[in-house]
Amino acid sequence: MAMTIHVDIVSAEGQLYSGQGEMVYAPAVMGEIGIAPRHAPLVTPLKPGEVRIDPGQGKPQEHFYVSGGLIEVQPFRVTVLADTGVRAADLDEAAALEAKRRAEDALATRASEMDLAKAQAELAEAVAQLRAIERLRKQKKT
Amino acid sequence: MAGAKEIRTKISSIKSTQKITSAMEMVAASKMRKAQDRMAASRPYAQKMRQVIGHVALANPEYKHPFMTPREVKRIGYIIVSSDRGLCGGLNTNLFRALVREIRKEREAGREISYCLVGNKALGFFRRVGGNVRAQVTHLGDAPELEALIGPVKVMLDAFVDGEIDEIRLAYNEFVNTMTQRPTIQTLVPLPPGEDAEELKHHWDYIYEPDAQQVLDSLLQRYIESIAYQAVVENGACEMAARMVAMKSATDNAGSLIDELQLVYNKARQAAITQEISEIVSGAAAVS
């Protein structure tokens, strides 16, 4: 039986694949790499592209699209840490700006949801006060 | 027959409320199961990453990433994970109480505090408390996506790199079991040193492409995001569990309230009948 290598493809939102393969192809940033069993330990980022796994024994290849991530290779184990979406420095920057803007908006404008939350908090306080008063009254009666 | 009609209306209104709470309980139970699955699904990713980070950090002692070097803490940034919706018992309140206690202590020690808020409830609460909110994200839904967190987490990481904050802490509810959710505050950055240093003593190292520094940079960013994501998912499971328990007790309370009211109603009805009979009897006695 031919030598195989264990392949795991995981993303933050779950496991995508786990199994044996004779050969793994991955789109590394420096160019596509092919990994056979007993490959030297390697870590490298991935470009968006296709990870292919050759399961051997004449079975058809498995294809996975990854939108980037990292690959970790050890002699008998390959782990693909896949991103769940397309990542790029400027995209991340835009997301950060968006999050900041939302924070500023929420603080500047008295959004209705915020008022609702505030009202709820005040209501909870009032209920607690009422309960305390009731308890005091009962104590007085007895 | 004083009040009998009012009592009847009250009973039926409580019954319909009970129907709502018991439905919410069942919905929360099934959503909790899904959230727990998500929690389990995101674990291997973080685990793998921790392993690789441990290797890389040990293999390259000369390159110290800023996220791994502790410095004097003058300003703290909190990433606070809360739920979007209420009706989940004391889940958010407990977390906020623990946070307020800690923040007060840090303020007394002369440290500045800023926040990154996840979820509506944190937004409402910390607006009242006051303080510098750097970023916020709400409406993540039942199946949160990692992408939604990239922005807010990056704001905090950038602030850390620029020296605007010296430490990032993450506050969320830890899912112990269905009945117990524990408010947890942990330090996210700087990363605590790796624990599994022992097994890596033997000499081997990765090949890094293009170089160790870049690999470590992208690894660490993703690692921190994945921890934040895990916290959000875990908090989601907590929310559902807490809601389930809260709705169960609400349903039970409604049941006992109905029983009590039923008793009052029966007594009122009985009293009215007795009164009627005695009126008829005394009327008949007067005639004969």
Side-chain angles (χ1 to χ4, degrees), chain A residues 12-14 41-45 72 74 79 83-84 87 95-96 99-100 102-103 106 110 113-114 120 125, chain B residues 41-42 45 48 120-121 123 127-128 134 136 139 145-147 151 155 206-207 209 215 221-222 225 229:
Chain A
E13 284 166 22
L42 166 78
V43 191
T44 181
E72 184 219 3
Q74 285 186 28
T79 312
D83 286 342
T84 46
R87 301 288 298 262
K100 256 187 205 167
R102 272 199 306 264
R110 292 187 162 265
E113 274 171 46
M114 301 270 294
Q120 277 172 346
E125 268 175 26
Chain B
S42 60
Y45 183 75
K48 275 281 154 206
N120 245 334
K121 291 288 158 182
L123 199 58
R127 218 175 87 97
R128 272 157 42 92
R134 284 178 187 276
Q136 63 114 337
H139 300 294
E145 283 175 353
L146 185 72
E147 273 91 276
V155 170
Y206 289 113
I207 303 167
E209 262 173 26
V215 170
Q221 195 192 352
R222 283 174 175 79
E225 278 161 11
Y229 176 75

Side-chain angles (χ1 to χ4, degrees), chain B:
Chain B
M1 212 156 155
K5 194 166 188 308
E6 281 91 338
I7 296 172
R8 223 164 32 215
T9 337
K10 208 164 184 184
I11 288 176
S12 73
S13 106
I14 293 173
K15 267 187 183 152
S16 59
T17 310
Q18 192 186 27
K19 266 180 209 151
I20 296 170
T21 56
S22 80
M24 280 181 84
E25 182 197 336
M26 283 184 275
V27 170
S30 90
K31 278 189 181 170
M32 183 187 74
R33 211 155 306 133
K34 276 186 210 147
Q36 271 178 296
D37 289 345
R38 261 193 294 277
M39 234 166 80
S42 60
R43 214 162 268 157
Y45 183 75
Q47 233 163 23
K48 275 281 154 206
M49 232 161 216
R50 200 159 28 218
Q51 256 176 33
V52 180
I53 287 169
H55 288 175
V56 179
L58 280 170
N60 287 278
E62 78 280 2
Y63 172 61
K64 272 276 182 202
H65 196 275
F67 293 168
M68 298 174 112
T69 36
R71 53 190 189 219
E72 200 196 336
V73 180
K74 288 202 200 91
R75 281 151 299 191
I76 304 173
Y78 281 96
I79 299 179
I80 298 162
V81 182
S82 73
S83 69
D84 271 335
R85 275 173 288 175
L87 287 183
C88 49
L91 185 78
N92 292 314
T93 325
N94 288 344
L95 181 69
F96 296 160
R97 197 180 303 140
L99 264 168
V100 164
R101 211 177 298 138
E102 189 178 302
I103 287 171
R104 194 175 299 145
K105 220 186 294 162
E106 299 292 359
R107 281 212 171 119
E108 274 164 19
R111 293 180 178 129
E112 268 175 55
I113 310 289
S114 55
Y115 315 104
C116 162
L117 304 173
V118 182
N120 245 334
K121 291 288 158 182
L123 199 58
F125 183 84
F126 282 94
R127 218 175 87 97
R128 272 157 42 92
V129 170
N132 179 13
V133 179
R134 284 178 187 276
Q136 63 114 337
V137 58
T138 54
H139 300 294
L140 291 175
D142 291 329
E145 283 175 353
L146 185 72
E147 273 91 276
L149 289 173
I150 290 173
V153 171
K154 189 174 164 58
V155 170
M156 296 306 267
L157 292 181
D158 284 352
F160 182 85
V161 171
D162 296 343
E164 284 170 33
I165 46 182
D166 305 312
E167 194 171 300
I168 302 175
R169 292 185 191 163
L170 177 69
Y172 65 103
N173 280 291
E174 187 192 344
F175 187 89
V176 182
N177 55 42
T178 316
M179 300 301 291
T180 325
Q181 296 89 34
R182 191 184 302 139
T184 309
I185 303 171
Q186 71 179 61
T187 303
L188 197 60
V189 180
L191 288 169
E195 313 94 37
D196 46 48
E198 283 300 312
E199 56 167 302
L200 290 162
K201 281 280 159 64
H202 57 91
H203 284 284
W204 68 275
D205 197 4
Y206 289 113
I207 303 167
Y208 303 99
E209 262 173 26
D211 60 58
Q213 200 165 321
Q214 277 189 27
V215 170
L216 196 57
D217 279 351
S218 56
L219 256 176
L220 281 173
Q221 195 192 352
R222 283 174 175 79
Y223 178 59
I224 288 160
E225 278 161 11
S226 85
I227 296 178
Y229 176 75
Q230 179 91 30
V232 169
V233 172
E234 195 152 338
N235 199 71
C238 286
E239 180 191 345
M240 291 308 159
R243 180 165 299 135
M244 192 180 93
V245 173
M247 288 302 117
K248 173 142 181 49
S249 71
T251 310
D252 293 350
N253 287 346
S256 58
L257 207 56
I258 289 170
D259 286 349
E260 265 170 43
L261 284 176
Q262 193 71 49
L263 200 67
V264 173
Y265 171 71
N266 287 347
K267 270 186 188 158
R269 196 180 63 118
Q270 197 63 256
I273 291 169
T274 313
Q275 198 188 346
E276 220 167 291
I277 289 175
S278 72
E279 271 165 15
I280 291 168
V281 169
S282 57
V287 169
S288 64

Side-chain angles (χ1 to χ4, degrees), chain A residues 34-126:
Chain A
I35 299 148
R38 295 206 174 158
H39 193 285
L42 166 78
V43 191
T44 181
L46 294 179
K47 285 188 297 198
E50 208 177 29
V51 174
R52 284 173 293 142
I53 300 158
D54 212 337
Q57 296 156 0
K59 282 186 211 157
Q61 276 191 345
E62 302 260 10
H63 297 255
F64 293 93
Y65 177 76
V66 293
S67 44
L70 285 145
I71 187 166
E72 184 219 3
V73 182
Q74 285 186 28
F76 288 101
R77 181 172 278 274
V78 176
T79 312
V80 178
L81 300 160
D83 286 342
T84 46
V86 179
R87 301 288 298 262
D90 47 347
L91 275 179
D92 285 7
E93 198 63 53
L97 284 177
E98 170 71 16
K100 256 187 205 167
R101 191 191 54 73
R102 272 199 306 264
E104 279 155 14
D105 279 4
L107 292 180
T109 60
R110 292 187 162 265
S112 61
E113 274 171 46
M114 301 270 294
D115 282 348
L116 193 66
K118 192 176 163 187
Q120 277 172 346
E122 274 163 8
L123 183 66
E125 268 175 26

Side-chain angles (χ1 to χ4, degrees), chain A residues 6-23:
Chain A
H6 188 85
V7 189
D8 285 308
I9 303 180
V10 289
S11 79
E13 284 166 22
Q15 186 150 33
L16 301 176
Y17 177 82
S18 176
Q20 299 288 328
E22 278 187 358
M23 192 79 184

